[in-house]
Amino acid sequence: MQKNMEKVCVIGLGYVGFPLAVLCSINGYEVYGFDKDEKKLARIEKGENIVEEKYLDELLPKAKINVIRDESQMKDCDIFIIAVPTPVDEKYYPDLSYVISASVTVAKNMKKGSLVIVESTINPGVCEEFVRPAFEKEGFTVGQDVFIAHCPERINPGDPKWNVSNIPRVVGSFDEQGLEKSVKFYESIVGAKIMPMKTIREAEAVKIMENSFRDINIAFVNELAKSFNLMDIDVVNVIRGASTKPFAFMAHWPSCGVGGHCIPVDPYYLIEKAKENDFDHQFLRVARAINNGMPLYSVELLQDELNSLGKSLKGAKIGLLGVSYKANVGDLRESPALKIIELLEKHGAVLNIYDPFIPKLSNANNVEEVLDRSEAIFLATGHDEFLKIPVEKFKEHGIGLIVDGMNCLDKDKLLALGIKYKGIGR
Ligand code: SAJ
């Protein structure tokens, strides 16, 4: 492939599209970026690292992303990458509107012979039922005038080791040519294995399986946590013990809930799709229900512990440390902490909230202020800043109770200081 002749257009410049655009540019492609968010486009034009991924800091100065605001400007491109959101709605139904809209935009503005790759997470059948028709409607024959492929994104926000340049990928297409073109494209930018799948549905199924696997395993340890809590067994130590087995075990960890743009969302894609075949993914549904129930379970832990001290949640001054769904990133999507805040406020608790990555939801400026104003602490996100709090500080500020929603504080030291400690399953 003559890279310097190839123009790539990335539609959707978020945590998936933006790093990919940078990677294509530093690998010799002429890159165009299209997004509906003008603020994002302006920041990219200023050379900002809009996804705040450290590894991009050194790559950005070498990259050139031509921001386009009018979709007609994408018409000279040869390769189109669709990396738009695929959220679920309030009933947990998959929302494919962004993928469909992006497909129509490309179909209306591309030249014959282009390669179109969908990276957004989609369930098996979406490329056949929604993407392909968008191009056929414009008179294109798939496999001749346009080549369509799916390469599910595998971004892990905040990961210091794995990123778009070194994570292996899978690719599927409707036809041999589409497969060959897309495998060659990814081999030209990714320094890792690119596995061609037999069909495009297989590629769609791989990502859904990966993330459903994670959701089920988290639900498994969350259920164990609730059961072992009643048997006075520390589930974290049990998982550590099981992890000494060098094969056939993969540790997952209980917590106050499962958030993010992937894990709590992707299983619903499969659950809903399978219904069309009258198949009920019971296991996926139960796992989702267990994980969705963890915020309430965690709040009930706090309530029970306060009651055991003769107090109630109503009027209790609770310090909430962390709101983001994941440590050391500022991302609220499906964050369990949002549900925990809702439940605590419903019970009349007085909240002192601090998340260094989410100032807009913090009503305290730092940990000190939270400890000063609170009688009990709920830790909802395992930010490094919270892990570094010396346990004595909780004692100095008169904190009598800590619910550790991420099992990341030193339980033994806190107990030794006379502070009531409740983790999730410990
Ligand atoms: N969580 C647990 N217990 C665990 C692991 C995670 O409760 O053992 C919770 C986290 O607290 C968080 C949620 O689940 O609220 C999701 O955590 P995550 O580590 O899976 O982070 P994500 O959402 O960034 O997931 C991404 C995914 N990447 C893609 O979909 C491309 C996922 O496939 C990766 O496995 C995951 O990163 C990763 O490995 O970190």
Side-chain angles (χ1 to χ4, degrees):
M1 184 176 284
Q2 297 292 321
K3 280 201 277 190
N4 52 357
M5 298 303 287
E6 296 287 281
K7 293 185 180 63
V8 174
C9 179
V10 180
I11 294 98
L13 297 168
Y15 74 89
V16 174
F18 180 72
L20 188 72
V22 172
L23 189 68
C24 287
S25 175
I26 62 170
N27 279 286
Y29 290 91
E30 193 175 314
V31 178
Y32 294 83
F34 182 73
D35 196 293
K36 295 243 193 287
D37 182 343
E38 173 52 39
K39 282 202 291 299
K40 228 180 240 178
L41 299 182
R43 289 184 63 201
I44 290 171
E45 282 178 320
K46 282 191 280 186
E48 286 184 34
N49 181 351
I50 65 167
V51 296
E52 291 162 13
E53 290 286 358
K54 287 192 179 57
Y55 75 94
L56 290 177
D57 286 337
E58 60 188 82
L59 301 180
L60 258 175
K62 296 176 247 169
K64 169 115 185 66
I65 300 174
N66 302 290
V67 159
I68 52 177
R69 291 176 172 81
D70 182 312
E71 50 208 47
S72 63
Q73 290 173 281
M74 57 174 77
K75 68 180 185 328
D76 289 341
C77 289
D78 310 287
I79 300 170
F80 294 85
I81 313 280
I82 296 177
V84 294
T86 48
V88 288
D89 63 22
E90 63 289 339
K91 293 199 197 68
Y92 296 116
Y93 282 101
D95 174 359
L96 296 170
S97 60
Y98 300 98
V99 168
I100 295 167
S101 160
S103 301
V104 170
T105 298
V106 173
K108 289 183 178 305
N109 292 283
M110 60 159 254
K111 68 188 180 196
K112 275 192 176 183
S114 298
L115 172 63
V116 180
I117 302 169
V118 177
E119 283 219 359
S120 305
T121 303
I122 49 181
N123 53 275
V126 166
C127 283
E128 284 156 82
E129 294 161 39
F130 299 101
V131 177
R132 184 182 184 125
F135 292 88
E136 289 173 334
K137 200 157 160 256
E138 296 302 317
F140 292 118
T141 303
V142 175
Q144 269 179 274
D145 310 325
V146 62
F147 301 95
I148 298 174
H150 177 54
C151 179
E153 62 92 0
R154 279 182 170 167
I155 297 292
N156 182 26
D159 191 317
K161 179 177 179 228
W162 296 107
N163 61 63
V164 66
S165 67
N166 62 12
I167 295 173
R169 309 292 293 271
V170 301
V171 188
S173 180
F174 287 113
D175 47 82
E176 270 313 305
Q177 250 195 303
L179 187 62
E180 192 189 318
K181 285 171 177 282
S182 38
V183 168
K184 272 189 185 158
F185 167 68
Y186 282 100
E187 281 173 347
S188 74
I189 60 171
V190 175
K193 177 174 171 54
I194 307 299
M195 179 180 169
M197 304 307 290
K198 292 277 181 296
T199 66
I200 201 162
R201 281 190 182 206
E202 283 183 358
E204 292 165 330
V206 162
K207 174 65 183 291
I208 300 291
M209 177 188 176
E210 285 167 8
N211 286 357
S212 299
F213 168 86
R214 193 161 173 80
D215 196 47
I216 283 172
N217 279 281
I218 296 167
F220 170 52
V221 291
N222 279 335
E223 182 173 86
L224 283 182
K226 294 196 277 189
S227 169
F228 288 1
N229 182 47
L230 302 171
M231 299 181 196
D232 203 20
I233 296 172
D234 183 326
V235 75
V236 171
N237 286 341
V238 171
I239 295 165
R240 285 190 188 126
S243 299
T244 58
K245 183 178 174 187
F247 50 84
F249 180 76
M250 186 177 185
H252 287 74
W253 307 95
S255 77
C256 58
V258 174
H261 45 280
C262 305
I263 309 306
V265 170
D266 297 353
Y268 289 114
Y269 273 70
L270 192 50
I271 292 167
E272 289 312 312
K273 181 64 189 172
K275 282 180 185 169
E276 293 172 13
N277 306 318
D278 291 331
F279 185 83
D280 175 19
H281 269 287
Q282 304 168 66
F283 198 9
L284 297 185
R285 279 193 299 108
V286 167
R288 286 280 70 241
I290 290 169
N291 289 337
N292 282 341
M294 292 313 287
L296 176 60
Y297 173 75
S298 310
V299 166
E300 286 169 348
L301 277 183
L302 176 64
Q303 191 169 27
D304 294 348
E305 291 304 320
L306 281 171
N307 293 170
S308 71
L309 295 169
K311 300 180 176 189
S312 75
L313 264 179
K314 188 169 173 51
K317 294 192 283 301
I318 307 294
L320 182 70
L321 293 178
V323 189
S324 183
Y325 86 88
K326 189 175 187 178
N328 307 320
V329 295
D331 193 331
L332 285 172
R333 280 172 294 184
E334 309 289 327
S335 177
L338 296 175
K339 186 70 186 161
I340 288 162
I341 289 170
E342 182 192 316
L343 291 165
L344 289 174
E345 286 179 338
K346 199 169 82 177
H347 281 87
V350 176
L351 296 184
N352 304 301
I353 301 170
Y354 172 63
D355 186 315
F357 294 86
I358 316 256
K360 69 176 181 181
L361 285 190
S362 302
N363 60 10
N365 295 311
N366 50 52
V367 169
E368 278 301 313
E369 281 185 21
V370 171
L371 299 183
D372 266 344
R373 301 177 193 164
S374 308
E375 58 191 293
I377 294 292
F378 190 113
L379 186 144
T381 315
H383 292 317
D384 287 349
E385 179 179 340
F386 301 153
L387 274 55
K388 291 179 189 140
I389 302 171
V391 285
E392 295 73 20
K393 214 173 242 316
F394 293 108
K395 188 74 182 171
E396 286 156 24
H397 287 272
I399 300 297
L401 165 63
I402 293 178
V403 172
D404 182 0
M406 295 305 295
N407 288 334
C408 59
L409 299 176
D410 190 320
K411 165 183 166 183
D412 296 333
K413 283 188 182 164
L414 288 164
L415 290 173
L417 287 170
I419 295 172
K420 272 185 87 73
Y421 174 95
K422 266 321 277 174
I424 309 300
R426 66 190 304 238

